[in-house]
Amino acid sequence: MRGGPVTPPPERKVEEKRSPEPQRRVTISDQVKEIPQEETRVDPPDPREGGLKKSRRMERKKRTPGDSERRRKKGGDTEPNAEEEAYEQESLETVEVEASSQEMVETLKGWLRSEECGGLSVAQNGALVALAIHRSGTPLGKYLERLVEPGSDVGKRELRQRGVLPLPLLPDTVKELKGLFESGEFRRLAGSWAAKKQNKEKAGKEMRRIGLLLWHGLAVCLVNFLWCGGGRKGPVHQGTVTKAQQMALDRLWSTVKNFVDDTSETKEKIPRSPDMGEWGKKLGDVRISYQGEVVEKAQRLTLDQIMPGLPPPGYGASVPLVELCDGELREKLENPLGNILPEEEMPDDLPRPKVHASAEQWEMIVKGQFLVNGSFGVVKPGKYLDDERPVLRLIMDFRGTNAATKILTGDVKTLSGAPSLQHVVLPQGRVLRISADDLVSAFYLFALPEEWSRMMCFSAPVDWRVLGFDKPGKVHVGATVLPMGWASAVGVLQHAHRRLALRNPLRGGAGLLGSCEIRRDSQFPDLEVEEKLWSLYLDDTSLMEVMEKRVADDLEGKASEEQERLRRACQHWGIPVCPDKSLVRVEKGEKLGAVLDGEKGLLKGATRRALESISLGMWILRPEKAPRKSLQVFLGKEVHTMQFRRPLFGIFDYLWKEISDGEVMIDLSVKAVEEILMAAMSQPLRVTDLRSRIHDVVTGLREVYCIEEGVDECPDETSCLDEPQVILVFDFFAGLGGLSRALELAEVKVDRLVVVEKDPACRRLNSVRWPGCDIWLDIEKVTKKEVERMVRSVPGLTGVIAGGGSPCQGLSRLSANREHLADPRSQLFYKYTEVLGWIEEMAEEMRVWCLLMLENVVGDNEDIEEMTGTLGSKPLLVCSSGLSRVRRPRLYWSNVALEDHGSFTREHFGLYDAVVFEEHAEPIGKVADEGWKWTAGEEDDELRLPTFTRAIPRRKPPVEPAGLKSCDEATVRLWQGDRMKFPPYTYLPQYLFEKQDGSGSKRVASVGERERLMGFPTGYTLALHKKEPQSEQEKIDQTVEREAALGNSFHTVTVACLLDLWLWSMQVRTDPMGAKAIVEKWHEAMDKQHFDDFGLIDVEGVKASEEFKELVEEEKVMCLEKNSQRAEWLRLCSHPGKDGNPSLLGVRLVHQYLRRAEFRGSDVRLDLNVAYRPDAMVRTTIDPRRWVWKVAQAWKWQRKEHINLLELRCILRTLEWRARSSTFHSCRFLHLSDSQICLSVLAKGRSSSRKINRILRRISGNMPKPIKYMDSKAERKRERQRIGRLSDQRVTKGTKERYQHSLKEVAEFAGVSTDRLLSMPGLDGILSDYIETLWEDGDTKSVASYALAALQFHQPTLKGQLRQSWRLLSLWNKLEQPRRATPLDPKLLLGFAGVFLRWQWDDLAHLVVVGFCGLLRTGEMFQLRRQDVVLPRYGHQSAILFLHDTKTAQRNLLTQEKVLITEEMGIYSLRYLCKGKEPGDLLVETTAPRFRTLWKEVVQALKLEGLNYLPYSLRRGAATSAYREGMGFDQLLAKGRWQHIATARLYLDQSLQELAALTIPMAAEPLIRAARTFFLAAKSGTRGGGG
């Protein structure tokens, strides 16, 4: 944890004549243009920015306007004007709530109950919300009054306001709000039609005008209120309106106008809110799941109600699902029995849901038992029969099947909702057109293999005769369709629908481009290249096209080519499409709960939904107590629409906490009422403007300091879950050992290396360079038994890496006579694939991780498809040109999906994904040999050498040599003079190295230069040869062989970067090294690492291979040129900036990062600096050297805070700095931050940490302005009033109550009142008599201790006056030593667990094992929830427990502690307790008091009475056992979480003495032994009951 609770720095005196000290600064930098790295610089701090607050205030009085402008350009201090009144109330929590506020809230509830608040238009709802806020008496209401009628304390009008906020209210808005507050009328806003002689149309226009003004005022009020931190006395705008403010007001007006005029998702001309009476019924028809989700209640089935929701006749189960699925999913669907859970994982009691239908109706519906399931219906919204009964969706309740089978994930990770469209940037002059189709009853269209029906039977049997069989008895009917209610149905349907869209039209698919698909598990499609997007969400298909307005008008109503192809594919498979839900190139569409306006470029929720939320909020505020279910439904609706403006999530704080308390009826606090009202005010703001253009100016933090004399940056102590690895590596087709070298560059420690290589020279090199490696001669002779023996030979193995590059001679595109995979050498690919399968199988069996990799050239499409189909993974195309000065494009297949990371960019193509690194290439001075230089490379930093090929000296030129036609005569002569070793194009002038002696001698790259460029140390390949050459010809021959071997090798730096990212993607590494670190590490070592030794050893094997055959390959050009289409797109999407000439390269760079933006986010653990949802952490890293930076703003912190809070304030400050300039308005920009905590909570929009949430709320004020901290008496007074009296902070509330009780008992003993007792003389004698009485009556010593402490707490002057009483208590301590719990040893632990297990308290049996292994306190065991447990993925890893609010954590001001479970038995028991649990579920439902009662009964059953075995014996015994078995004292101190060493030492010494003197009764030993055997037998599976 960085920082922590700290106090403000002490005041320092500065002599007036002494120059101020250079201060540490927080800087925000802005990017001006892109330049090469060599010119990158950071401006030094300006010493004029130093000094303290007082000296700056004195200096500010002397400044002139010119000085201010010069300081702004120089990047100087930009703190707010000291003379300006500053108000900073940082949290809604910290605002003082007046005593009358609760009474006013009750008055508000009564007013709402008396008014008819349903059936209101948008304008009327705005008036209702404004009146409710005004009458609430909350700080929000007070601030609204302050905005409408500013008092005398709002400041002077002539003072200049530097920031955008607070915004002023429009004069017309002020007028309407005043009239509204006076009249209290919110329904008849336009007044009486008769009195004003207006017709209905004019009245409607007047009401709309008033509604616009009211909603605009509410939006301004909310933004200001959030910015000022929630204070009722927050600052109010006074003075003239600046240009930036006017732009902000205009933008808010446009947003409100779109909200008021929206009629989406309704057929009414004017949307209206529901009647208040409807909410009771609506909430009664839903229930809340264990996960907190709102679900429809189960309805009884009738045939006529479900028929409209079923597929049309003849379409049910008409599509064979298996034929639309590929790969592993297809195999699992074809083998249903293989999906049944193993016996040891099968639940003890399978759910047996019932069919919600009468016997008669069930027989009409359905017109061996392994698993039985139920069925029910849920209401289909908006669908009714003629008799007004609702249409029902048929839901098959397959809880039984779900509990007993594995879940097939399918393509569930690709599901992407409407918020993902926030990535869209709609260019100026272009519009978005939406097309969509919806499958009819999609789930029940698809047929599963018949074998599934026996696993999907329904619990209600039917007569055979109903099914048309003339036989007696009943039978259970099984489902053969894809059932709604099956846990795997969503992923399977998504997979099948995507295969339908992506598959080639010749195979019945639509052939849509994968690069245009919007999916959650991949970056957003590149709109610079593709102007078409498509997305699938189960049965829903959405297609979007960006086009010019003129073209869109011509094509309106005409189906696009992609939509036609999808419809033809559906027709081919017999899949019906719902015509009522189809959209064909419309400008406005409603899909997945969102409204997408392609004309205006808006993504938002419908106003109709907003009115529903407002209505529900007002309904919740009416009763004295609100039902918990209604609050859950309300927050569910709010969360959905807040996704389109995520910062608004910070509004909610108290509501979440009051719901989590678990009360059925909740008495809402004033703060919770205020949050509901703020949510209503925020409805118009929940919109994303897709036309917001991209600004090329990037901001970021250069330094962050906690300022105090001598205090530097606080260290980052982020939690690391990396554990030591034991790795076995198989290097197939090893050659020069490129895989081993890549692992070395990636800092992967290899414990055992197996080299598979046929060439004896390469085997010699590997033996020399990688001593101790195992060498296998021929991959064709490798057997499965050898692989298994090798894998099992490594003790403590945790992972396996296997990789290689199979021969490519038959695959090279430039080989005219290539035989593809039929070539005898390239055929080894199939053997290699078989061996990889053996390795993966063994790794899975041993439960260790496995990374498999294949490298090869970019061959013909049919070869790539064949290899991809065989390996089962899509390859990555990676070229070394992004890391090195030489090109080497290669395809890489792996069994690990590469997650997106900031060190590379990814582009999707049909056969592969292209991965592009962009790091600095080798320093040019370290590339060339001594005395040589590469002139063209020095002149052009972007120039790259061609791919290094094998050196093949020739006497005659080959057939059609590559690039010969592009070579001039000089180049051809040079090629021929070099014996035509390499392709002719490699001898072009720009690729030649020149001797520096002026002789003009030129040549291609030497062998040493090739070694360095391929990532090998200089002289690395010398080990190919046994000894130094004895002649010049032998030296030439050796050089040719070295060059040939390098032409066959990996580019090791590229492979190192991929291995690093693959290990990170599979979570073996918590954080990757990153390509930048790998490249820089190699660059530093290039001129230091050098080999001059030869391979002076003999190796076994065959003779040297036959003459090299010709192999010439040329890389495929992967760089997409900047064509006119891309440049035009960038121009239209860029923000003009100050000079109207933005950097298109800068705009493109920002857009590429925008495509990778993460919208999910995560809350954080402040104590550990880790996220609750690591999978949602923002992983993209960015190299800041892409831009040139200058200091834009710098300031000195006025107080010390936690480093995370300071970093979040910096981001807040950046927003305020941008908001001051109109050039930054209405645009998207990139801000760089190195804080994962800040990035996570900003993406999420809120945090449970109120310290973080208070700043997030200010950020949600759109463009907030931080207020200068004033260390004044008034502020200190407000803060201390919030905390309370100092005397009340001495003890906790519970201790204070205990003291009060003890004081009353002493007063009763003395026969006086408590007040009289505290002032009585001779109190020491009275208390001594009381203690003597307690001793004689047999009371516990704690009663006497609390009595003494209580008296001294209520009367501190008694300290030192009760000497006799304390002496008696001390004597009591000596006479009665505290009897501690007897430590429990491991054998006795299993005995206790066995008794619990035999009594069928299985959860308690495993809980005591977990408590013992984790040294947990009793209360900690019963607070554990599933979300607090991190189970290991592999056998070697530990489990992690996160403990909340423990005793040690409270002492250290933490919220959580982390405990590792390393014992196999403990991990086994944890898995048992976690099985089937949802994140919020307790691991054990039994309460701690019940456990203590059962514990006593177990002690009695084992005949251990009198030995003082208590539940705390688990913790004492575990610590003692660990110490006896050799655990270090430091480790034990950390695991036991003791604060003081002396305490732990005493703890252990006493336990060891007690164990030494302990004797187990003879009668107990056989009982303990039998119970222990019972538990172990249950664990091994030889007995039931133990899981």
Side-chain angles (χ1 to χ4, degrees), residues 9-297:
E11 295 184 0
R12 292 174 290 178
K13 296 181 179 180
V14 179
E15 296 183 6
E16 188 172 350
K17 294 182 179 179
R18 198 175 78 182
S19 60
E21 297 178 4
Q23 61 180 8
R24 298 183 180 95
R25 305 179 302 160
V26 177
T27 64
I28 295 178
S29 304
D30 76 303
Q31 165 270 344
V32 288
K33 64 178 180 179
E34 298 78 27
I35 64 171
Q37 179 194 7
E38 288 76 3
E39 301 178 28
T40 302
R41 61 183 176 82
V42 178
D43 291 346
D46 187 349
R48 291 184 301 167
E49 296 164 7
L52 299 177
K53 180 172 57 179
K54 181 177 179 180
S55 61
R56 283 203 306 273
R57 186 185 298 120
M58 294 173 64
E59 180 186 359
R60 191 176 291 117
K61 294 178 181 179
K62 303 176 184 179
R63 291 179 190 164
T64 66
D67 293 333
S68 177
E69 179 64 23
R70 283 192 294 273
R71 286 184 61 80
R72 205 161 34 245
K73 291 181 178 179
K74 194 71 175 177
D77 177 71
T78 57
E79 283 288 305
N81 194 326
E83 297 177 0
E84 177 182 352
E85 179 183 358
Y87 179 90
E88 179 177 13
Q89 195 70 34
E90 289 202 335
S91 169
L92 305 186
E93 172 202 14
T94 62
V95 177
E96 179 186 359
V97 179
E98 297 179 356
S100 60
S101 294
Q102 191 63 46
E103 297 179 5
M104 295 190 70
V105 167
E106 295 301 325
T107 304
L108 168 65
K109 293 181 178 181
W111 175 72
L112 289 174
R113 286 194 294 268
S114 66
E115 297 286 346
E116 177 50 53
C117 302
L120 303 179
S121 65
V122 182
Q124 291 169 330
N125 271 281
L128 173 63
V129 172
L131 275 176
I133 294 169
H134 175 66
R135 294 171 181 262
S136 66
T138 61
L140 176 62
K142 298 293 185 182
Y143 184 74
L144 178 59
E145 294 176 5
R146 184 179 171 86
L147 272 180
V148 175
E149 296 188 30
S152 59
D153 59 342
V154 299
K156 300 178 181 180
R157 298 185 62 89
E158 62 271 13
L159 282 179
R160 172 177 166 270
Q161 179 177 307
R162 299 184 65 199
V164 173
L165 297 177
L167 291 171
L169 290 179
L170 299 178
D172 288 345
T173 299
V174 174
K175 177 182 176 181
E176 294 299 336
L177 284 172
K178 285 183 178 180
L180 178 67
F181 295 161
E182 292 174 1
S183 66
E185 175 60 56
F186 61 87
R187 298 188 70 91
R188 301 176 65 181
L189 295 179
S192 171
W193 297 351
K196 295 189 176 183
K197 296 183 179 180
Q198 292 176 322
N199 58 29
K200 188 174 181 179
E201 182 179 355
K202 290 183 179 179
K205 290 181 179 180
E206 175 65 12
M207 186 174 288
R208 175 181 176 274
R209 185 190 70 84
I210 295 174
L212 287 170
L213 291 171
L214 293 178
W215 276 113
H216 189 269
L218 292 174
V220 169
C221 177
L222 177 65
V223 169
N224 290 348
F225 186 72
L226 290 172
W227 160 70
C228 71
R232 61 186 178 86
K233 292 186 178 181
V236 174
H237 177 270
Q238 294 288 292
T240 59
V241 179
T242 64
K243 180 180 178 181
Q245 286 180 320
Q246 189 59 55
M247 291 181 66
L249 290 173
D250 291 345
R251 186 167 178 80
L252 282 176
W253 182 266
S254 176
T255 302
V256 166
K257 185 175 180 294
N258 289 323
F259 173 75
V260 172
D261 294 341
D262 179 52
T263 57
S264 304
E265 298 187 5
T266 179
K267 296 180 181 179
E268 301 174 352
K269 186 176 180 180
I270 299 177
R272 294 189 178 274
S273 59
D275 292 334
M276 286 292 173
E278 297 179 8
W279 284 113
K281 182 180 183 304
K282 286 183 178 181
L283 294 174
D285 291 339
V286 300
R287 65 179 182 85
I288 307 300
S289 69
Y290 292 113
Q291 293 79 23
E293 298 175 346
V294 179
V295 295
E296 294 282 347
K297 278 191 174 180

Side-chain angles (χ1 to χ4, degrees), residues 1459-1479:
V1459 173
L1460 297 181
I1461 303 292
T1462 57
E1463 295 80 1
E1464 179 184 354
M1465 183 71 74
I1467 295 174
Y1468 163 78
S1469 293
L1470 262 181
R1471 291 189 187 277
Y1472 177 90
L1473 293 172
C1474 291
K1475 186 166 58 179
K1477 294 287 195 306
E1478 297 297 334

Side-chain angles (χ1 to χ4, degrees), residues 1352-1363:
Q1352 292 187 168
F1353 174 80
H1354 287 94
Q1355 188 62 271
T1357 57
L1358 291 176
K1359 288 186 178 180
Q1361 306 297 322
L1362 305 177
R1363 297 176 181 176

Side-chain angles (χ1 to χ4, degrees), residues 1178-1211:
V1178 183
R1179 293 182 181 270
T1180 301
T1181 59
I1182 298 175
D1183 186 355
R1185 293 176 298 180
R1186 295 177 183 272
W1187 298 274
V1188 177
W1189 300 88
K1190 72 174 183 180
V1191 176
Q1193 195 177 38
W1195 66 91
K1196 178 181 176 182
W1197 293 119
Q1198 298 296 321
R1199 56 182 168 186
K1200 291 182 62 179
E1201 287 184 294
H1202 193 283
I1203 187 66
N1204 292 333
L1205 301 179
L1206 294 178
E1207 288 172 332
L1208 199 57
R1209 286 188 184 279
C1210 290
I1211 297 173

